[in-house]
Amino acid sequence: ARKLAKVEVTRVTRAPVSAEIRLIAEVDYDETRVAHITAWVPGRIEKLYVDYTGRSVEVGEPMLDVYSPELISAQEELISALKTRDKLKAGVSEVISGAITTTVNSAREKLRLWGLTTDQIDEIEKSGVPSDFLTIHSPIGGIVVEKMAFEGMYVDEGTRLYTVADLSVVWIHLEAYESDLAWLRV
């Protein structure tokens, strides 16, 4: 009778209980691994190095070149300040020397705040010639998930150009019924 009723007997033990549940889910970017690349200076996009969505990029890889008259003017300020400093090296009072040093440092800082790397600023100082273009580099490695830039486009400061996401870690958004919550654990 026990065999026909399919009754099984076993010792009582403590063990975690598990259940298999099927859920609907959506894969999303880890928002801590997403970078929005924006224009730091107003200007015109001259060349796209990354010209389609889905392209893989590395940290520091050039994304695009922007032509900006304001940027050229800021570079000329730095070059002019450096020339003045070189001309007036000897025989200048401390006040004038300090003012020139402050001018050079503020011109460098202005360029840095507009997105130029230290290497780009050093190159401008060495060559003594302003660069016509600002090359914007990728701040993170990942996949271009959104591209809003195109050649010839005029941009303002803060215009979003690309969205790059590092997809090595992703989030999953699950939709569960309240009755399934007891079975879910991180």
Side-chain angles (χ1 to χ4, degrees), residues 20-39:
E20 185 176 305
I21 332 170
R22 291 181 172 261
L23 301 173
I24 296 173
E26 184 179 290
V27 179
D28 198 5
Y29 316 119
D30 176 353
E31 66 184 34
T32 63
R33 296 172 181 253
V34 174
H36 301 287
I37 300 170
T38 59

Side-chain angles (χ1 to χ4, degrees), residues 94-161:
E94 279 188 37
V95 175
I96 294 174
S97 177
I100 293 170
T101 302
T102 302
T103 304
V104 169
N105 290 339
S106 65
R108 281 184 184 141
E109 184 64 12
K110 185 176 187 179
L111 291 173
R112 188 191 67 75
L113 291 173
W114 274 357
L116 271 74
T117 64
T118 306
D119 293 338
Q120 288 172 316
I121 295 170
D122 291 343
E123 181 62 34
I124 293 164
E125 289 179 5
K126 285 177 191 170
S127 69
V129 178
S131 172
D132 291 340
F133 305 103
L134 165 65
T135 301
I136 298 177
H137 301 274
S138 178
I140 67 169
I143 305 295
V144 176
V145 294
E146 199 172 8
K147 175 187 144 309
M148 288 74 63
F150 55 89
E151 286 184 9
M153 174 179 165
Y154 283 87
V155 295
D156 289 322
E157 199 172 326
T159 302
R160 189 180 293 182
L161 305 170

Side-chain angles (χ1 to χ4, degrees), residues 13 17 69 84 87 106 162 181:
T13 59
V17 179
T84 303
K87 283 181 187 176
S106 65
Y162 295 98
L181 294 180

Side-chain angles (χ1 to χ4, degrees), residues 82-90 92:
L82 289 169
K83 286 179 181 176
T84 303
R85 182 188 69 186
D86 293 342
K87 283 181 187 176
L88 302 176
K89 270 188 181 174
V92 186

Side-chain angles (χ1 to χ4, degrees), residues 13-20 182-185:
T13 59
R14 286 189 183 266
V17 179
S18 63
E20 185 176 305
W183 299 106
L184 298 177
R185 296 285 182 271

